[in-house]
PDB file of all heavy atoms in Angstrom:
ATOM      1  N   GLY A 282       0.784  -1.227   0.000  1.00  0.00           N
ATOM      2  CA  GLY A 282       0.000   0.000   0.000  1.00  0.00           C
ATOM      3  C   GLY A 282       0.817   1.278   0.000  1.00  0.00           C
ATOM      4  O   GLY A 282       0.265   2.371   0.056  1.00  0.00           O
ATOM      5  N   LYS A 283       2.137   1.182  -0.071  1.00  0.00           N
ATOM      6  CA  LYS A 283       2.992   2.369  -0.094  1.00  0.00           C
ATOM      7  C   LYS A 283       2.877   3.044  -1.452  1.00  0.00           C
ATOM      8  O   LYS A 283       3.080   2.426  -2.487  1.00  0.00           O
ATOM      9  CB  LYS A 283       4.439   1.995   0.185  1.00  0.00           C
ATOM     10  CG  LYS A 283       5.394   3.181   0.169  1.00  0.00           C
ATOM     11  CD  LYS A 283       6.786   2.750   0.541  1.00  0.00           C
ATOM     12  CE  LYS A 283       7.857   3.791   0.425  1.00  0.00           C
ATOM     13  NZ  LYS A 283       7.525   5.135   0.293  1.00  0.00           N
ATOM     14  N   ILE A 284       2.569   4.340  -1.443  1.00  0.00           N
ATOM     15  CA  ILE A 284       2.385   5.126  -2.658  1.00  0.00           C
ATOM     16  C   ILE A 284       3.680   5.867  -2.981  1.00  0.00           C
ATOM     17  O   ILE A 284       4.290   6.478  -2.106  1.00  0.00           O
ATOM     18  CB  ILE A 284       1.243   6.143  -2.479  1.00  0.00           C
ATOM     19  CG1 ILE A 284      -0.059   5.420  -2.156  1.00  0.00           C
ATOM     20  CG2 ILE A 284       1.095   7.020  -3.713  1.00  0.00           C
ATOM     21  CD1 ILE A 284      -1.159   6.343  -1.700  1.00  0.00           C
ATOM     22  N   THR A 285       4.077   5.836  -4.252  1.00  0.00           N
ATOM     23  CA  THR A 285       5.237   6.578  -4.727  1.00  0.00           C
ATOM     24  C   THR A 285       4.824   7.418  -5.929  1.00  0.00           C
ATOM     25  O   THR A 285       4.475   6.863  -6.976  1.00  0.00           O
ATOM     26  CB  THR A 285       6.385   5.628  -5.135  1.00  0.00           C
ATOM     27  OG1 THR A 285       6.712   4.793  -4.022  1.00  0.00           O
ATOM     28  CG2 THR A 285       7.608   6.395  -5.580  1.00  0.00           C
ATOM     29  N   PRO A 286       4.814   8.762  -5.788  1.00  0.00           N
ATOM     30  CA  PRO A 286       4.493   9.605  -6.934  1.00  0.00           C
ATOM     31  C   PRO A 286       5.624   9.566  -7.963  1.00  0.00           C
ATOM     32  O   PRO A 286       6.803   9.541  -7.590  1.00  0.00           O
ATOM     33  CB  PRO A 286       4.332  11.000  -6.326  1.00  0.00           C
ATOM     34  CG  PRO A 286       5.128  10.968  -5.073  1.00  0.00           C
ATOM     35  CD  PRO A 286       5.102   9.546  -4.588  1.00  0.00           C
ATOM     36  N   ILE A 287       5.275   9.553  -9.249  1.00  0.00           N
ATOM     37  CA  ILE A 287       6.274   9.440 -10.311  1.00  0.00           C
ATOM     38  C   ILE A 287       6.263  10.669 -11.222  1.00  0.00           C
ATOM     39  O   ILE A 287       7.293  11.282 -11.456  1.00  0.00           O
ATOM     40  CB  ILE A 287       6.040   8.165 -11.141  1.00  0.00           C
ATOM     41  CG1 ILE A 287       6.197   6.937 -10.243  1.00  0.00           C
ATOM     42  CG2 ILE A 287       6.971   8.109 -12.344  1.00  0.00           C
ATOM     43  CD1 ILE A 287       5.773   5.648 -10.883  1.00  0.00           C
ATOM     44  N   ARG A 288       5.084  11.026 -11.722  1.00  0.00           N
ATOM     45  CA  ARG A 288       4.970  12.134 -12.664  1.00  0.00           C
ATOM     46  C   ARG A 288       3.591  12.747 -12.527  1.00  0.00           C
ATOM     47  O   ARG A 288       2.614  12.044 -12.264  1.00  0.00           O
ATOM     48  CB  ARG A 288       5.197  11.622 -14.079  1.00  0.00           C
ATOM     49  CG  ARG A 288       5.191  12.683 -15.139  1.00  0.00           C
ATOM     50  CD  ARG A 288       5.589  12.165 -16.507  1.00  0.00           C
ATOM     51  NE  ARG A 288       4.704  11.097 -16.951  1.00  0.00           N
ATOM     52  CZ  ARG A 288       5.117   9.942 -17.464  1.00  0.00           C
ATOM     53  NH1 ARG A 288       6.397   9.693 -17.594  1.00  0.00           N
ATOM     54  NH2 ARG A 288       4.260   9.037 -17.849  1.00  0.00           N
ATOM     55  N   PHE A 289       3.514  14.082 -12.702  1.00  0.00           N
ATOM     56  CA  PHE A 289       2.212  14.738 -12.640  1.00  0.00           C
ATOM     57  C   PHE A 289       2.144  15.870 -13.654  1.00  0.00           C
ATOM     58  O   PHE A 289       3.156  16.282 -14.210  1.00  0.00           O
ATOM     59  CB  PHE A 289       1.906  15.251 -11.229  1.00  0.00           C
ATOM     60  CG  PHE A 289       2.797  16.372 -10.756  1.00  0.00           C
ATOM     61  CD1 PHE A 289       2.407  17.692 -10.892  1.00  0.00           C
ATOM     62  CD2 PHE A 289       4.012  16.097 -10.146  1.00  0.00           C
ATOM     63  CE1 PHE A 289       3.210  18.725 -10.439  1.00  0.00           C
ATOM     64  CE2 PHE A 289       4.820  17.123  -9.686  1.00  0.00           C
ATOM     65  CZ  PHE A 289       4.419  18.443  -9.832  1.00  0.00           C
ATOM     66  N   ARG A 290       0.928  16.330 -13.893  1.00  0.00           N
ATOM     67  CA  ARG A 290       0.757  17.486 -14.761  1.00  0.00           C
ATOM     68  C   ARG A 290      -0.347  18.377 -14.233  1.00  0.00           C
ATOM     69  O   ARG A 290      -1.246  17.925 -13.517  1.00  0.00           O
ATOM     70  CB  ARG A 290       0.523  17.078 -16.208  1.00  0.00           C
ATOM     71  CG  ARG A 290      -0.745  16.329 -16.474  1.00  0.00           C
ATOM     72  CD  ARG A 290      -0.792  15.906 -17.917  1.00  0.00           C
ATOM     73  NE  ARG A 290      -2.072  15.287 -18.203  1.00  0.00           N
ATOM     74  CZ  ARG A 290      -2.434  14.848 -19.382  1.00  0.00           C
ATOM     75  NH1 ARG A 290      -1.599  14.949 -20.399  1.00  0.00           N
ATOM     76  NH2 ARG A 290      -3.605  14.308 -19.565  1.00  0.00           N
ATOM     77  N   PHE A 291      -0.233  19.660 -14.601  1.00  0.00           N
ATOM     78  CA  PHE A 291      -1.197  20.655 -14.165  1.00  0.00           C
ATOM     79  C   PHE A 291      -1.237  21.780 -15.184  1.00  0.00           C
ATOM     80  O   PHE A 291      -0.362  21.884 -16.040  1.00  0.00           O
ATOM     81  CB  PHE A 291      -0.841  21.200 -12.775  1.00  0.00           C
ATOM     82  CG  PHE A 291       0.463  21.955 -12.740  1.00  0.00           C
ATOM     83  CD1 PHE A 291       0.491  23.336 -12.856  1.00  0.00           C
ATOM     84  CD2 PHE A 291       1.668  21.276 -12.587  1.00  0.00           C
ATOM     85  CE1 PHE A 291       1.693  24.028 -12.826  1.00  0.00           C
ATOM     86  CE2 PHE A 291       2.873  21.967 -12.555  1.00  0.00           C
ATOM     87  CZ  PHE A 291       2.880  23.344 -12.679  1.00  0.00           C
ATOM     88  N   ARG A 292      -2.237  22.620 -15.085  1.00  0.00           N
ATOM     89  CA  ARG A 292      -2.343  23.779 -15.965  1.00  0.00           C
ATOM     90  C   ARG A 292      -1.803  25.002 -15.235  1.00  0.00           C
ATOM     91  O   ARG A 292      -2.180  25.263 -14.099  1.00  0.00           O
ATOM     92  CB  ARG A 292      -3.783  24.023 -16.385  1.00  0.00           C
ATOM     93  CG  ARG A 292      -4.306  22.916 -17.265  1.00  0.00           C
ATOM     94  CD  ARG A 292      -5.346  23.416 -18.238  1.00  0.00           C
ATOM     95  NE  ARG A 292      -5.813  22.317 -19.059  1.00  0.00           N
ATOM     96  CZ  ARG A 292      -5.302  22.000 -20.250  1.00  0.00           C
ATOM     97  NH1 ARG A 292      -4.318  22.716 -20.742  1.00  0.00           N
ATOM     98  NH2 ARG A 292      -5.767  20.989 -20.936  1.00  0.00           N
ATOM     99  N   ASP A 293      -0.908  25.746 -15.913  1.00  0.00           N
ATOM    100  CA  ASP A 293      -0.370  26.960 -15.310  1.00  0.00           C
ATOM    101  C   ASP A 293      -1.351  28.114 -15.507  1.00  0.00           C
ATOM    102  O   ASP A 293      -2.450  27.930 -16.032  1.00  0.00           O
ATOM    103  CB  ASP A 293       1.028  27.287 -15.838  1.00  0.00           C
ATOM    104  CG  ASP A 293       1.048  27.672 -17.309  1.00  0.00           C
ATOM    105  OD1 ASP A 293      -0.024  27.797 -17.930  1.00  0.00           O
ATOM    106  OD2 ASP A 293       2.159  27.850 -17.842  1.00  0.00           O
ATOM    107  N   ARG A 294      -0.956  29.312 -15.096  1.00  0.00           N
ATOM    108  CA  ARG A 294      -1.855  30.475 -15.176  1.00  0.00           C
ATOM    109  C   ARG A 294      -2.270  30.818 -16.594  1.00  0.00           C
ATOM    110  O   ARG A 294      -3.315  31.394 -16.820  1.00  0.00           O
ATOM    111  CB  ARG A 294      -1.186  31.682 -14.532  1.00  0.00           C
ATOM    112  CG  ARG A 294      -1.052  31.555 -13.057  1.00  0.00           C
ATOM    113  CD  ARG A 294      -0.435  32.765 -12.461  1.00  0.00           C
ATOM    114  NE  ARG A 294      -0.324  32.591 -11.023  1.00  0.00           N
ATOM    115  CZ  ARG A 294       0.317  33.397 -10.234  1.00  0.00           C
ATOM    116  NH1 ARG A 294       0.933  34.454 -10.736  1.00  0.00           N
ATOM    117  NH2 ARG A 294       0.371  33.165  -8.946  1.00  0.00           N
ATOM    118  N   ASP A 295      -1.421  30.462 -17.563  1.00  0.00           N
ATOM    119  CA  ASP A 295      -1.735  30.733 -18.969  1.00  0.00           C
ATOM    120  C   ASP A 295      -2.554  29.615 -19.605  1.00  0.00           C
ATOM    121  O   ASP A 295      -2.871  29.678 -20.788  1.00  0.00           O
ATOM    122  CB  ASP A 295      -0.445  30.927 -19.764  1.00  0.00           C
ATOM    123  CG  ASP A 295       0.376  32.099 -19.256  1.00  0.00           C
ATOM    124  OD1 ASP A 295      -0.238  33.099 -18.810  1.00  0.00           O
ATOM    125  OD2 ASP A 295       1.614  32.019 -19.291  1.00  0.00           O
ATOM    126  N   GLY A 296      -2.865  28.586 -18.844  1.00  0.00           N
ATOM    127  CA  GLY A 296      -3.632  27.461 -19.355  1.00  0.00           C
ATOM    128  C   GLY A 296      -2.789  26.390 -20.024  1.00  0.00           C
ATOM    129  O   GLY A 296      -3.318  25.412 -20.537  1.00  0.00           O
ATOM    130  N   GLU A 297      -1.459  26.576 -20.005  1.00  0.00           N
ATOM    131  CA  GLU A 297      -0.567  25.589 -20.613  1.00  0.00           C
ATOM    132  C   GLU A 297      -0.459  24.368 -19.709  1.00  0.00           C
ATOM    133  O   GLU A 297      -0.354  24.491 -18.493  1.00  0.00           O
ATOM    134  CB  GLU A 297       0.814  26.200 -20.821  1.00  0.00           C
ATOM    135  CG  GLU A 297       1.798  25.270 -21.489  1.00  0.00           C
ATOM    136  CD  GLU A 297       3.171  25.896 -21.666  1.00  0.00           C
ATOM    137  OE1 GLU A 297       3.322  27.110 -21.456  1.00  0.00           O
ATOM    138  OE2 GLU A 297       4.091  25.142 -22.008  1.00  0.00           O
ATOM    139  N   LEU A 298      -0.484  23.182 -20.320  1.00  0.00           N
ATOM    140  CA  LEU A 298      -0.362  21.939 -19.572  1.00  0.00           C
ATOM    141  C   LEU A 298       1.116  21.667 -19.312  1.00  0.00           C
ATOM    142  O   LEU A 298       1.908  21.536 -20.236  1.00  0.00           O
ATOM    143  CB  LEU A 298      -0.984  20.787 -20.358  1.00  0.00           C
ATOM    144  CG  LEU A 298      -1.229  19.497 -19.620  1.00  0.00           C
ATOM    145  CD1 LEU A 298      -2.141  19.703 -18.416  1.00  0.00           C
ATOM    146  CD2 LEU A 298      -1.833  18.468 -20.547  1.00  0.00           C
ATOM    147  N   ILE A 299       1.503  21.625 -18.053  1.00  0.00           N
ATOM    148  CA  ILE A 299       2.886  21.418 -17.624  1.00  0.00           C
ATOM    149  C   ILE A 299       3.018  20.003 -17.075  1.00  0.00           C
ATOM    150  O   ILE A 299       2.271  19.615 -16.179  1.00  0.00           O
ATOM    151  CB  ILE A 299       3.288  22.437 -16.526  1.00  0.00           C
ATOM    152  CG1 ILE A 299       3.013  23.867 -16.964  1.00  0.00           C
ATOM    153  CG2 ILE A 299       4.732  22.225 -16.102  1.00  0.00           C
ATOM    154  CD1 ILE A 299       3.799  24.321 -18.155  1.00  0.00           C
ATOM    155  N   THR A 300       3.978  19.246 -17.607  1.00  0.00           N
ATOM    156  CA  THR A 300       4.250  17.895 -17.115  1.00  0.00           C
ATOM    157  C   THR A 300       5.558  17.910 -16.332  1.00  0.00           C
ATOM    158  O   THR A 300       6.553  18.454 -16.799  1.00  0.00           O
ATOM    159  CB  THR A 300       4.354  16.891 -18.279  1.00  0.00           C
ATOM    160  OG1 THR A 300       3.114  16.896 -18.998  1.00  0.00           O
ATOM    161  CG2 THR A 300       4.630  15.487 -17.770  1.00  0.00           C
ATOM    162  N   VAL A 301       5.527  17.321 -15.142  1.00  0.00           N
ATOM    163  CA  VAL A 301       6.687  17.316 -14.249  1.00  0.00           C
ATOM    164  C   VAL A 301       7.014  15.871 -13.881  1.00  0.00           C
ATOM    165  O   VAL A 301       6.159  15.149 -13.366  1.00  0.00           O
ATOM    166  CB  VAL A 301       6.405  18.120 -12.961  1.00  0.00           C
ATOM    167  CG1 VAL A 301       7.587  18.068 -12.020  1.00  0.00           C
ATOM    168  CG2 VAL A 301       6.015  19.548 -13.290  1.00  0.00           C
ATOM    169  N   THR A 302       8.254  15.474 -14.151  1.00  0.00           N
ATOM    170  CA  THR A 302       8.736  14.159 -13.722  1.00  0.00           C
ATOM    171  C   THR A 302       9.487  14.355 -12.412  1.00  0.00           C
ATOM    172  O   THR A 302      10.446  15.123 -12.348  1.00  0.00           O
ATOM    173  CB  THR A 302       9.668  13.535 -14.776  1.00  0.00           C
ATOM    174  OG1 THR A 302       8.931  13.375 -15.992  1.00  0.00           O
ATOM    175  CG2 THR A 302      10.182  12.181 -14.317  1.00  0.00           C
ATOM    176  N   ILE A 303       9.040  13.677 -11.372  1.00  0.00           N
ATOM    177  CA  ILE A 303       9.642  13.808 -10.047  1.00  0.00           C
ATOM    178  C   ILE A 303      11.006  13.129 -10.059  1.00  0.00           C
ATOM    179  O   ILE A 303      11.119  11.954 -10.384  1.00  0.00           O
ATOM    180  CB  ILE A 303       8.725  13.201  -8.964  1.00  0.00           C
ATOM    181  CG1 ILE A 303       7.406  13.968  -8.949  1.00  0.00           C
ATOM    182  CG2 ILE A 303       9.403  13.204  -7.602  1.00  0.00           C
ATOM    183  CD1 ILE A 303       6.310  13.308  -8.169  1.00  0.00           C
ATOM    184  N   GLU A 304      12.037  13.899  -9.731  1.00  0.00           N
ATOM    185  CA  GLU A 304      13.390  13.357  -9.736  1.00  0.00           C
ATOM    186  C   GLU A 304      13.772  12.759  -8.386  1.00  0.00           C
ATOM    187  O   GLU A 304      14.504  11.787  -8.325  1.00  0.00           O
ATOM    188  CB  GLU A 304      14.378  14.446 -10.128  1.00  0.00           C
ATOM    189  CG  GLU A 304      14.183  14.886 -11.566  1.00  0.00           C
ATOM    190  CD  GLU A 304      15.154  15.954 -11.999  1.00  0.00           C
ATOM    191  OE1 GLU A 304      15.939  16.446 -11.166  1.00  0.00           O
ATOM    192  OE2 GLU A 304      15.118  16.297 -13.183  1.00  0.00           O
ATOM    193  N   LYS A 305      13.269  13.353  -7.307  1.00  0.00           N
ATOM    194  CA  LYS A 305      13.641  12.855  -5.981  1.00  0.00           C
ATOM    195  C   LYS A 305      12.526  13.140  -4.987  1.00  0.00           C
ATOM    196  O   LYS A 305      11.974  14.242  -4.954  1.00  0.00           O
ATOM    197  CB  LYS A 305      14.929  13.521  -5.515  1.00  0.00           C
ATOM    198  CG  LYS A 305      15.478  12.960  -4.240  1.00  0.00           C
ATOM    199  CD  LYS A 305      16.844  13.517  -3.940  1.00  0.00           C
ATOM    200  CE  LYS A 305      17.430  12.838  -2.725  1.00  0.00           C
ATOM    201  NZ  LYS A 305      18.741  13.346  -2.390  1.00  0.00           N
TER     202      LYS A 305
END
C-alpha cells in the first residue's frame, strides 16, 4: 500500500499543460 508519486501534470496560469517528472 505504499504510494510513490512518479509524474504529474497541471495547468499553469496561462492554461498551458505542464508535465513534471519527479526526480527525488
Side-chain angles (χ1 to χ4, degrees):
K283 180 176 174 15
I284 301 169
T285 304
I287 298 170
R288 184 173 59 227
F289 67 95
R290 65 184 185 178
F291 64 96
R292 293 210 180 267
D293 67 6
R294 291 182 180 171
D295 299 326
E297 182 181 350
L298 193 58
I299 307 297
T300 300
V301 178
T302 299
I303 298 167
E304 293 181 355
K305 187 172 185 180

